[in-house]
Amino acid sequence: MATQPSTEVVEQPSGKHRVVVIGSGFGGLFGTKALRHADVEVTMVAKTTHHLFQPLLYQVATGILSQGEIAPPTREILAGQRNAQVLLGEVSAIDLAAHTVTSTVLGRSTITPYDSLIVAAGAGQSYFGNDRFAEFAPGMKSIDDALELRGRIFGAFELAEIGASRGENVDHLLTFVVVGAGPTGVEMAGQIAELAHRTLKKDFRAINSRHARVILVDAAPQVLPPFGRKLGEKTRSELEKLGVEVVLGAMVTDVDERGIAMQFKDGRVERIDSVTKIWAAGVAANPLGRTLSEQTGAPLDRAGRIAVNPDLTLPGHPEVFVVGDMIALDNLPGVAQVAIQGAKYAAKEIDRRLRSKPSLGPFTYFDKGSMAIISRFRAVALIGRFRFTGLIAWLMWLALHLIYITGFKNRLTALLHWFVSFIGRGRSERTTTEQQIFARSALGRLKHGAADLVSDPGAYDAARALLETTRRAELEERAAEEARLTDSGVRGVRVEHQVG
Ligand SMILES: Cc1cc2nc3c(=O)[nH]c(=O)nc-3n(C[C@H](O)[C@H](O)[C@H](O)COP(=O)(O)OP(=O)(O)OC[C@H]3O[C@@H](n4cnc5c(N)ncnc54)[C@H](O)[C@@H]3O)c2cc1C
């Protein structure tokens, strides 16, 4: 049987203005939702089926929250929005001349035409050119990352228990290194310290979890540089009170299975033996920025972010908006509010154009402030000129995150889990599986990832058709035999066998 083509072109039958949104993160979801009253057909193309609340990934990694609480299904969120549909697929090409987006899932490609496009594909982890570090020091960008880290963190304590009961040295298993002292690194280091000193302290027999070392390393001379010197100092001293060792001015030069090497400004090189390393150091904008840059001439900065016009469109392409972590505009930070506000602005602008209303003018960002949690009841917040620390900042963090977690049931269960972890000592989500670490690594070694594990769509259809033909012939033959037995009167007639 001939192999079927695995590329499909999706046309909108309604004849309405077609908006394609790439990504289901903060930009993608809020942009799509902002178009709910517009006279358009929206297609959100995203490579995951969920909307991810990245700021709480570290709580999934350390067993406080489940992945479902921070990653509700996009289809469910948009179920009531009649003008929106969701298409699963990783966008591999954007053709600005043809106005199409090509996305692929497990070898099946879809070409989706658009009249307006909002690109909100976010950013990934950057290992500053040392991608081989990723295998030994996972980043913190996706649910897969968080679950792998959960497996590695809790797994290290388990292996240490086995080793210690045999009298082996387990220091390398009980040493956790977090690379990058930005908000994510601070949050991870604080949580691992809490795990070791509070949550796990009664759970083991051969090891004392409180002896675990948590080391936060950064090449910068201070913790949380964007929060300013004062809050950086405060955060550092709070971390040290929790038992975290803060190593600043140290650039990580190598990472392998057994540990990391770091170099100080004076040239000194030190090595830390550690099985569990977490990379929270750098970000690189989504590679789709490069294809947009090549087609428009818009430059990319060092982090791969594309320079956009003040109204977030691309040069020569007023129908294409780029928002969130992918853009370089006025030194805007890579935070959720930049993506949310940018996407809402783009949606509004599309709607106004369709209604022949004047343009909104340049995009302006309203800075609502920044926060980082250090541990339970301790956080720092910078809102305008005002600095908050300790319990007040922590309560502000709690309120804000509850507001922004999507979905009522997620808010309720997150609150319950926070109660368990912050008031009590427990963590409700400590389950880990071998798949989290080993299956992921195995997939990573396949040339085309998961696509290598499924047959190509044409081959699958051909195999199924052959199976159906064979099975049908078998069934027909059996039915004919049954009928023959009945019609010939043979069925039920005992045949006497003569013995001897
Ligand atoms: C661990 C962590 C903690 C953070 N904490 C905070 C915080 O406390 N406060 C704050 O304001 N910000 C925080 N941020 C930053 C914030 O999450 C980002 O700035 C924000 O998510 C950017 O939104 P976005 O829409 O640009 O990208 P994202 O939210 O990353 O969304 C990108 C979307 O695009 C999809 N995608 C990517 N590539 C493709 C493709 N080729 N095809 C199809 N879909 C694709 C992804 O699956 C995703 O759905 C944090 C980030 C991380 C990683």
Side-chain angles (χ1 to χ4, degrees):
M1 175 173 264
T3 301
Q4 300 295 311
S6 60
T7 302
E8 196 182 322
V9 181
V10 177
E11 291 290 354
Q12 298 288 3
S14 69
K16 286 191 176 166
H17 187 89
R18 300 158 303 182
V19 183
V20 170
V21 177
I22 301 178
S24 60
F26 284 107
L29 182 67
F30 281 80
T32 302
K33 282 168 83 172
L35 285 163
R36 64 191 173 283
H37 298 306
D39 191 22
V40 295
E41 290 283 351
V42 191
T43 304
M44 177 199 275
V45 190
K47 67 176 181 182
T48 66
T49 56
H50 54 256
H51 161 70
L52 177 59
F53 192 86
Q54 286 178 337
L56 288 175
L57 271 173
Y58 76 96
Q59 294 204 358
V60 174
T62 53
I64 297 175
L65 295 180
S66 76
Q67 59 272 34
E69 279 157 326
I70 68 159
T74 326
R75 282 186 194 285
E76 191 181 285
I77 304 168
L78 294 173
Q81 185 172 333
R82 299 297 294 272
N83 70 353
Q85 62 167 318
V86 177
L87 175 64
L88 177 67
E90 178 157 5
V91 174
S92 51
I94 302 171
D95 188 333
L96 294 182
H99 285 208
T100 58
V101 165
T102 304
S103 56
T104 307
V105 60
L106 295 177
R108 287 135 172 96
S109 293
T110 309
I111 297 173
T112 313
Y114 65 81
D115 298 307
S116 294
L117 176 66
I118 301 178
V119 187
Q125 207 74 61
S126 165
Y127 287 83
F128 308 120
N130 294 301
D131 289 352
R132 66 199 161 84
F133 292 177
E135 190 178 343
F136 311 111
M140 185 67 127
K141 283 283 175 193
S142 64
I143 290 290
D144 278 328
D145 290 337
L147 291 179
E148 177 171 355
L149 283 171
R150 188 197 283 176
R152 284 179 184 248
I153 293 165
F154 287 101
F157 284 101
E158 294 298 336
L159 290 178
E161 174 80 353
I162 293 169
S165 63
R166 295 175 184 175
E168 294 165 10
N169 181 345
V170 292
D171 291 350
H172 60 298
L173 287 163
L174 289 179
T175 301
F176 299 84
V177 179
V178 180
V179 183
T184 303
V186 165
E187 287 163 348
M188 270 313 282
Q191 279 310 313
I192 300 174
E194 277 210 343
L195 262 184
H197 298 300
R198 242 170 65 80
T199 311
L200 301 178
K201 68 179 181 190
K202 291 187 185 157
D203 293 11
F204 293 94
R205 301 291 172 263
I207 57 166
N208 182 345
S209 69
R210 278 177 288 189
H211 291 164
R213 287 177 74 195
V214 183
I215 306 169
L216 179 64
V217 179
D218 202 301
Q222 78 155 80
V223 169
L224 293 181
F227 285 68
R229 211 172 45 78
K230 222 170 165 182
L231 285 184
E233 270 309 309
K234 174 77 182 161
T235 306
R236 179 188 178 148
S237 87
E238 291 286 355
L239 283 170
E240 285 174 346
K241 273 188 220 155
L242 276 174
V244 176
E245 297 170 40
V246 181
V247 181
L248 298 173
M251 203 161 78
V252 173
T253 50
D254 199 15
V255 182
D256 58 33
E257 207 172 333
R258 302 287 290 191
I260 69 156
M262 52 190 182
Q263 187 172 36
F264 291 86
K265 251 188 161 169
D266 57 10
R268 194 165 35 98
V269 175
E270 259 182 42
R271 196 182 151 81
I272 304 173
D273 285 339
S274 159
V275 166
T276 313
K277 287 87 56 184
I278 296 129
W279 192 267
V283 289
N286 192 288
L288 287 175
R290 177 158 299 281
T291 165
L292 296 176
S293 164
E294 283 163 3
Q295 293 176 67
T296 59
L300 298 178
D301 70 6
R302 278 200 319 173
R305 294 177 305 176
I306 190 163
V308 289
N309 293 328
D311 64 354
L312 306 182
T313 61
L314 289 177
H317 288 275
E319 74 286 5
V320 181
F321 296 82
V322 189
V323 301
D325 282 2
M326 288 185 71
I327 61 166
L329 177 71
D330 301 337
N331 293 315
L332 289 175
V335 294
Q337 277 301 326
V338 169
I340 293 172
Q341 292 177 31
K344 284 182 174 173
Y345 166 92
K348 211 168 174 180
E349 187 69 27
I350 292 169
D351 184 37
R352 288 175 77 86
R353 285 179 193 171
L354 289 175
R355 292 193 287 127
S356 305
K357 287 199 162 184
S359 156
L360 288 167
F363 168 66
T364 47
Y365 170 59
F366 174 61
D367 185 359
K368 296 186 176 174
S370 319
M371 289 178 185
I373 188 164
I374 303 165
S375 65
R376 67 183 193 132
F377 310 144
R378 293 187 182 114
V380 287
L382 180 66
I383 296 166
R385 287 181 298 107
F386 301 102
R387 295 180 178 88
F388 301 89
T389 58
L391 186 64
I392 292 181
W394 188 80
L395 288 172
M396 287 162 70
W397 170 91
L398 193 74
L400 197 86
H401 283 71
L402 267 183
I403 292 169
Y404 276 99
I405 289 182
T406 303
F408 172 73
K409 69 176 188 291
N410 289 7
R411 273 183 211 128
L412 204 67
T413 54
L415 200 61
L416 195 74
H417 284 150
W418 284 341
F419 192 77
V420 169
S421 302
F422 298 143
I423 308 296
R425 195 174 60 85
R427 303 219 165 185
S428 319
E429 300 294 334
R430 279 170 54 177
T431 312
T432 62
T433 71
E434 283 188 350
Q435 290 186 23
Q436 290 166 2
I437 306 173
F438 302 108
R440 194 177 182 209
S441 301
L443 277 177
R445 285 174 198 172
L446 296 176
K447 193 169 173 209
H448 304 106
D452 278 352
L453 299 178
V454 296
S455 50
D456 107 324
Y460 172 79
D461 290 345
R464 207 181 60 177
L466 185 67
L467 194 74
E468 272 170 16
T469 315
T470 320
R471 183 100 182 96
R472 180 175 295 276
E474 257 175 43
L475 287 172
E476 282 171 1
E477 200 177 308
R478 222 173 63 207
E481 176 63 7
E482 290 286 327
R484 192 189 63 76
L485 287 173
T486 304
D487 293 346
S488 61
V490 178
R491 194 190 296 278
V493 178
R494 180 167 301 152
V495 180
E496 298 287 344
H497 293 284
Q498 278 193 341
V499 180

